[in-house]
Amino acid sequence: MAKSSLLTPDDHALLLIDHQYLQLLALRSHTSEAVVNNTTFLAKAAKLFKVPTLLTTAFAERQALFEEVQAVFPDQTPVDRTGLNSWDDQRVLDWVKKSGKKKLVMAGLWTEVCLSMPVIDALADGYEVYIVTDASGGGSTEGHERGVQRMVQAGAQPLTTIANVSELQRDWARPTADEVAKLFAEHGGGFGQGLRWEWQLLGLKEGTR
């Protein structure tokens, strides 16, 4: 049987790259609200599933990390860089190696620059890389699309925030079901509200039948 490329909570690490306010200000491929929401959703799910997570910034003295994301990991100081490519930073490489994971999930701003560069380099170094496209964004729609296209052509696997979190949960009988349903209700838009309503109508508690 072929090895599955589906993600599990214990087989990967998450890198959230440069989710900062100046980048957000120039975002044109998505709404700012959507990217903040999806990145926060991704971060909270990673914490729930105990996925090793690294936060990075560029020129943090000029622009902070999203408050919502920092609040998920209040004790973590993001790796702050001057360079555009976080894969060039030895601290990032050391963290990835220490995690022991060969699968990496990445999201960042902007897609075509600070996400594409480390993704392409990580792929070249033999890592299996997944990109969360709706927790990322570009300076233009074309910039985002070309960035995603370039990474996919290099071997990255694209997925959305909801797909990522659903893949980690996989089975509603798992003990994280109640907390995941709450995350979906908070951050999952119409899908999340529909999920909560369905449970209410059926009189079910998450994770039971």
Side-chain angles (χ1 to χ4, degrees), residues 14 16 19 35-55 65-73 76 107 132 135 161 164-165 168 183 187:
L14 173 66
L16 296 178
H19 288 94
V35 170
V36 172
N37 176 75
N38 293 334
T39 308
T40 306
F41 191 2
L42 200 61
K44 288 180 177 179
K47 186 172 185 178
L48 174 64
F49 286 104
K50 297 180 173 58
V51 175
T53 301
L54 181 69
L55 309 175
L65 191 73
F66 299 167
E67 289 181 0
E68 295 87 346
V69 174
Q70 184 68 74
V72 180
F73 301 100
Q76 183 178 158
V132 187
T161 302
N164 179 78
V165 179
L168 299 186
L183 287 180
H187 297 287

Side-chain angles (χ1 to χ4, degrees), residues 24 34 43 45 48 50 71 88 129 166 180 201:
L24 192 66
L48 174 64
K50 297 180 173 58
D88 288 338
V129 183
S166 299
V180 168
L201 287 176

Side-chain angles (χ1 to χ4, degrees), residues 84-102:
L84 294 174
N85 184 0
S86 57
W87 208 254
D88 288 338
D89 193 298
Q90 191 61 47
R91 295 168 296 173
V92 173
L93 296 180
D94 289 345
W95 183 91
V96 170
K97 290 175 184 176
K98 187 177 179 180
S99 78
K101 310 299 183 183
K102 294 301 289 183

